[in-house]
Amino acid sequence: MARRIAAGAAYGGGSIGLLGAAAVGVVLAEVQLAKRSVGGGTAPVPPRGDGLYGLAFGRIDPLHLCVLGDSTAAGQGVRRAGQTPGALLASGLAAVAERPVEVRNVALPGAQSDDLERQVTLLLADRGRTPDVCVIMIGANDVTHRMPPTQSVRHLASAVRRLRTAGAEVVVGTCPDLGTIEPVYQPLRWLARRVSRQLAAAQTIVVVEQGGRTVSLGDLLGPEFAANPREMFGADNYHPSAEGYATAAMAVLPTLCAVLGLWPESDRLEPERDEDMLPVARAAATAAAEAGTEVTGARAPWALLKHRRRRRLPPAAGPVPTEEPASPKVRKA
């Protein structure tokens, strides 16, 4: 199914039903009800985490990290800039690279994949600040707002292609598992999980084809959320809490460092960690079912499936602003 969605996107196909319109409609209605009924369906407006991190390493020659996507990428659900994904990743990246890291976050709460064109254009408009690496987190709103999956992955593929053409490395956190939302009950929880995973797998296929890498966010991320949903979700039971974002960032950081060459990269796989080289569609489906899994392209049509060791994140200090950020357009999450 993921391969069909990706092929439909590549060749201009229309909507490919995931589970049938009736079933998906019921799932989406339940998810929307959960968002409205739990915690009032609201979360704090995400703080601005733009600025310079890793000041212990000076201010000269910073790495440029850009974050794109939806409310999860923006950090909705936390109140301090240092708790947002961009800040957490920048602090970890600075510690590994021993260089300052400048963060620019253009993610928009409520965004769907069709907003990526605007976000990429905004980033690339400043030719003096071409990003070294971009992190994209997108997909949940595509599912809840019924965007055809072929259209969703087509927008993502275009964004990754533009960023790669500009010289930036790209890491995509794929669609999270909406089946983890507590107020969604069986069998709707199972249906929501299947829809989310199919989109995540299709995202992986198109991202790898465009030269990017993906990390499966899955259930944001793995056993920690299943065991401690009250701690890992925020006040609205929909967006992650500070602990949840830290868990997600720990899973993405090793891939971020690897793509920038900050520690030796090897094609040697660790079978004891269930790492393998698989056809890209099979690798995508496997990654979608197991949170924290990285997929990166190898010899076409093969891809490497990796489970990198998580790195503990250093405490994220508040950012030092590099410029006055423009007021963001706010859309309902």
Side-chain angles (χ1 to χ4, degrees):
M1 178 61 75
R3 170 56 74 186
R4 287 179 59 202
I5 294 170
Y11 296 106
S15 173
I16 297 177
L18 292 175
L19 294 172
V24 172
V26 173
V27 172
L28 302 182
E30 185 72 14
V31 170
Q32 293 293 347
L33 178 62
K35 290 170 67 177
R36 290 195 300 268
S37 62
V38 179
T42 60
V45 174
R48 298 291 295 182
D50 293 23
L52 201 61
Y53 293 80
L55 292 179
F57 305 106
R59 296 171 177 265
I60 300 173
D61 192 27
L63 285 168
H64 293 278
L65 166 66
C66 294
V67 183
L68 308 87
D70 55 22
S71 55
T72 302
Q76 190 157 18
V78 298
R79 299 183 182 278
R80 296 201 300 271
Q83 297 172 329
T84 60
L88 293 166
L89 290 171
S91 297
L93 196 57
V96 174
E98 297 186 347
R99 287 174 60 183
V101 176
E102 182 182 346
V103 174
R104 190 177 182 198
N105 193 324
V106 295
L108 177 68
Q112 300 174 51
S113 291
D114 57 1
D115 192 57
L116 288 176
E117 181 179 1
R118 180 192 65 83
Q119 295 182 27
V120 172
T121 299
L122 185 62
L123 285 181
L124 299 183
D126 187 350
R127 298 183 181 275
R129 299 171 65 192
T130 301
D132 293 299
V133 63
C134 294
V135 175
I136 303 175
M137 298 180 182
I138 200 80
N141 293 318
D142 295 8
V143 174
T144 60
H145 290 79
R146 310 191 199 190
M147 176 178 285
T150 52
Q151 181 180 336
S152 173
V153 297
R154 189 181 303 127
H155 288 303
L156 177 60
S158 175
V160 175
R161 181 167 56 251
R162 290 180 65 193
L163 292 170
R164 294 287 294 134
T165 300
E169 300 290 347
V170 180
V171 176
V172 174
T174 55
C175 181
D177 183 354
L178 297 181
T180 60
I181 301 172
E182 282 196 312
V184 178
Y185 301 105
Q186 298 291 10
L188 298 177
R189 182 185 295 272
W190 177 85
L191 292 173
R193 172 163 292 145
R194 185 174 177 187
V195 170
S196 305
R197 287 182 177 180
Q198 286 178 345
L199 179 57
Q203 288 177 323
T204 291
I205 293 171
V206 299
V207 169
V208 168
E209 288 176 346
Q210 298 301 326
R213 303 190 190 197
T214 64
V215 177
S216 170
L217 294 186
D219 51 3
L220 285 176
L221 270 143
E224 292 93 339
F225 275 81
N228 302 295
R230 298 295 183 186
E231 289 75 28
M232 294 298 171
F233 283 109
D236 62 353
N237 270 13
Y238 186 76
H239 295 94
S241 65
E243 291 81 2
Y245 280 122
T247 300
M250 278 194 297
V252 174
L253 179 62
T255 298
L256 201 61
C257 293
V259 80
L260 289 171
L262 296 178
W263 54 60
E265 178 79 310
S266 171
D267 288 346
R268 185 180 65 84
L269 302 174
E270 298 183 46
E272 66 276 9
R273 295 175 60 80
D274 296 323
E275 296 186 340
D276 204 351
M277 180 180 288
L278 300 170
V280 64
R282 185 177 168 193
T286 302
E290 188 171 352
T293 304
E294 175 193 315
V295 179
T296 183
R299 301 183 300 273
W302 301 88
L304 296 176
L305 194 75
K306 291 193 173 185
H307 298 94
R308 295 188 183 276
R309 302 180 188 278
R310 297 187 187 184
R311 307 287 169 145
R312 184 169 297 278
L313 295 168
V320 175
T322 54
E323 63 179 27
E324 186 66 24
S327 297
K329 179 176 70 172
V330 176
R331 189 187 301 179
K332 185 177 178 182

